Amino acid sequence: MADLDTMPLASATLDLGRFPRTQLCHRPTPIESMPRLTELLGGPQLFVKRDDCTGLAMGGNKTRKLEFLVGEAMKEKADMLVTQGAVQSNHVRQTAAAACKVGMKCHVLLERRVPDRDASYEETGNVLLDRLFGATYEFRPSGLDMNAEAQAVSDTLAEQGHRPYFIPGGGSNPTGALGYVGCAEEIAEHSRETGQTFDSLVMGTGSTGTQAGLVAGFHAMGYALPVMGVSVRQPRERQMNAVHALTQKTLEKLGVDGIPLSKILVDDGYVGEGYGIPAESTLEAIRLLARHEGLLLDPVYSAKGMAGLIGMVRAGFFKPTDKVLFLHTGGASALFAYEDQLIASIT
């Protein structure tokens, strides 16, 4: 836990104002206690950072990243955002909305990453919102290098006279990760202003930009808050290496020395059968948060992250006196694409 008396001023260390940025996000997002979940699990004290309340298109963590990505696109005078994600991608939804906000077009590639879904999976939830925001899209089969696919489409669009700006999946590059450097700054400032400190932060980790940005931000400020990423897709070692690589690049962008791999924390015990496939622990997390805290989690990211937090509490990973902060990354709009599984789990 950080020493508030010796922690350097975040604004003096990070200076995020030197990077292109456009206002898309409601920030700072609130930090709320979760007393009923805490009581149910028997401690430690649980809190939630409400990044489901970032504002753009029902909110979510990608909005923070898009402030810097779209800011850079505007500086380059782009007229179109091009990105990729899974069919029910929260990142694609927020990118499509951001394009509307700044007067750009948006073209996306949707990977059929989740097997054995019915036809409605490609029509409801986030896909419906993508269409509402006017994004054009095309599907790709599972298993391709989707960033390479989207970059190739972006190159073709440029040849046709467009000025596309390519955003990797999840907005996860050093520019996008700056959004979560800023979130780390918010958490540190919250602690400084209120005296409320935390012993651990837990979150779902996938495309790596959110966890990498947080780790980079806390390191740059000298703020010792461990960030445990609960993997939603990849095995632990692979996810750790991916997060570490982006953390190093983000720190380089900030002009700060790097960190060892040992500083990257990942738990891969809640992936279940794979990306976008809810495990029983995922469905339990959705039920518990809805019925004990009135919070909606999504079945792909935030519910697997919360399942990890619940599992760690039950396993005694934290001390009863600890204060643990959960990062809610949003995505409730995807719940509608999982209607059958959710109905079966609550009846």
mmCIF file of all heavy atoms in Angstrom, residues 17 80 210 331:
data_model
loop_
_atom_site.group_PDB
_atom_site.id
_atom_site.type_symbol
_atom_site.label_atom_id
_atom_site.label_comp_id
_atom_site.label_asym_id
_atom_site.label_seq_id
_atom_site.Cartn_x
_atom_site.Cartn_y
_atom_site.Cartn_z
ATOM 1 N N GLY A 17 -0.921 15.895 -20.416
ATOM 2 C CA GLY A 17 -1.304 16.982 -21.303
ATOM 3 C C GLY A 17 -0.395 17.153 -22.503
ATOM 4 O O GLY A 17 -0.751 17.862 -23.452
ATOM 5 N N MET A 80 -11.662 8.642 -40.788
ATOM 6 C CA MET A 80 -12.282 7.344 -40.536
ATOM 7 C C MET A 80 -11.465 6.596 -39.487
ATOM 8 O O MET A 80 -10.232 6.617 -39.516
ATOM 9 C CB MET A 80 -12.337 6.529 -41.837
ATOM 10 C CG MET A 80 -12.837 5.101 -41.666
ATOM 11 S SD MET A 80 -12.793 4.164 -43.227
ATOM 12 C CE MET A 80 -14.124 4.943 -44.128
ATOM 13 N N THR A 210 -5.516 -2.067 -20.638
ATOM 14 C CA THR A 210 -6.000 -1.521 -19.375
ATOM 15 C C THR A 210 -5.043 -1.863 -18.238
ATOM 16 O O THR A 210 -4.618 -0.989 -17.476
ATOM 17 C CB THR A 210 -7.413 -2.047 -19.078
ATOM 18 O OG1 THR A 210 -8.274 -1.697 -20.164
ATOM 19 C CG2 THR A 210 -7.960 -1.464 -17.788
ATOM 20 N N GLY A 331 -19.653 -2.978 -20.188
ATOM 21 C CA GLY A 331 -20.000 -4.024 -21.143
ATOM 22 C C GLY A 331 -21.347 -4.678 -20.956
ATOM 23 O O GLY A 331 -21.623 -5.706 -21.576
#
